[in-house]
Amino acid sequence: MSTTDRKAELAENLREVEERIDAACRAAGRAREEVKLIAITKTFPASDVALLAELGVTDVGENRDQEAGPKAAEVTGLRWHMVGRLQRNKARSVAGWAHEVQSLDSARLADALAKAVRAVRDVQIRDEPLDVLIQASLDDDPERGGCPLPELGALADRIARTEELRLRGLMAVAPLGADPAAAFERLARAGEALRKDHPNAAEVSAGMSHDLEEAITHGSTCVRVGTALLGGRGLASP
């Protein structure tokens, strides 16, 4: 496919996604500006990211550090989000390119990220704290990651005690095969409880291509859309 054709395809997909978000916001009595769109570009090339940027997309999410780092270096001027499970040994690399980590789910990872931010700050790669969201587990499945809901408060307190990390809110993925509306309602209640002690943690990242409407209904401020924007997964970028 030519660059021109691919850009036209992405433009049409983006128009359809924006219409869905707009309709969901209207149905929920919310302003469109309350919901941020993150384009999830895992396995797609940097050229697609550049085309999305030309079309007005400002936020991009990636699942793997080894794929995200080169893309972020090639396509600048965007806000990059780490949304996949993160191993502690990748913390320093991620701290070098990510503006926000949405998958922080343990005290050990929080400590590793804080240490990584100090390290990259010392070599002047970044001069601001790293924004983070706590990934909340809505299904208690350790294979999918996430902090159990009863432990969110303790983890939030630990993050708040660091100078290197800035707590922005919660992220979650709806459980497989479950009613996403019920899951997102649980997440909304968890967010309300969190904000009693951490009022600036107002971001709620929930909703993907198949369930963004339910997420917006229940207060999501950030939807993470991949397939509906870019199509079926292709081969990973070199």
Side-chain angles (χ1 to χ4, degrees):
M1 182 181 294
S2 70
T3 299
T4 300
D5 289 343
R6 179 57 169 162
K7 186 173 183 179
E9 180 181 56
L10 292 174
E12 176 62 16
N13 291 347
L14 179 60
R15 183 190 64 77
E16 292 177 357
V17 169
E18 285 286 353
E19 286 182 353
R20 289 176 61 192
I21 296 172
D22 194 46
C25 287
R26 288 198 307 272
R30 302 177 61 193
R32 170 63 185 88
E33 293 74 22
E34 294 179 34
V35 181
K36 176 169 58 183
L37 170 63
I38 297 182
I40 304 300
T41 55
K42 65 179 182 181
T43 77
F44 287 94
S47 57
D48 278 353
V49 180
L51 290 175
L52 287 171
E54 291 176 12
L55 293 168
V57 170
T58 58
D59 290 77
V60 176
E62 285 282 339
N63 284 58
R64 300 193 308 160
D65 167 64
Q66 58 267 42
E67 185 180 348
K71 288 184 188 177
E74 183 173 343
V75 187
T76 58
L78 299 174
R79 183 169 170 82
W80 289 85
H81 305 257
M82 178 65 178
V83 300
R85 294 195 70 182
L86 176 58
Q87 297 177 330
R88 295 192 305 278
N89 63 359
K90 298 289 187 180
R92 178 161 179 169
S93 178
V94 169
W97 61 263
H99 296 87
E100 182 174 81
V101 170
Q102 295 205 355
S103 50
L104 198 166
D105 61 359
S106 71
R108 296 178 71 187
L109 181 54
D111 292 345
L113 283 170
K115 181 179 179 181
V117 171
R118 288 194 297 272
V120 298
R121 186 174 59 195
D122 288 344
V123 294
Q124 298 182 338
I125 294 177
R126 69 181 306 131
D127 57 6
E128 291 190 356
L130 175 65
D131 288 342
V132 298
L133 304 185
I134 298 176
Q135 181 177 350
S137 174
L138 299 179
D139 55 12
D140 297 320
D141 183 352
E143 295 300 317
R144 301 188 78 201
C147 176
L149 298 186
E151 300 174 18
L152 290 178
L155 181 53
D157 291 344
R158 190 179 188 117
I159 294 168
R161 289 195 294 269
T162 73
E163 296 180 356
E164 295 82 12
L165 306 179
R166 186 161 47 199
L167 180 62
R168 290 301 197 188
L170 297 177
M171 181 272 268
V173 179
L176 296 172
D179 176 12
F184 296 142
E185 185 176 2
R186 290 181 67 204
L187 181 65
R189 291 198 300 268
E192 290 175 5
L194 181 69
R195 288 190 292 276
K196 291 179 181 178
D197 293 323
H198 302 277
N200 292 326
E203 188 165 351
V204 179
S205 176
M208 298 188 289
S209 293
H210 61 288
D211 58 13
L212 66 86
E213 285 86 358
E214 290 89 346
I216 291 171
T217 297
H218 292 282
S220 174
T221 65
C222 171
V223 292
R224 311 180 304 274
V225 181
T227 301
L229 271 179
L230 291 125
R233 295 294 170 200
L235 297 177
S237 301

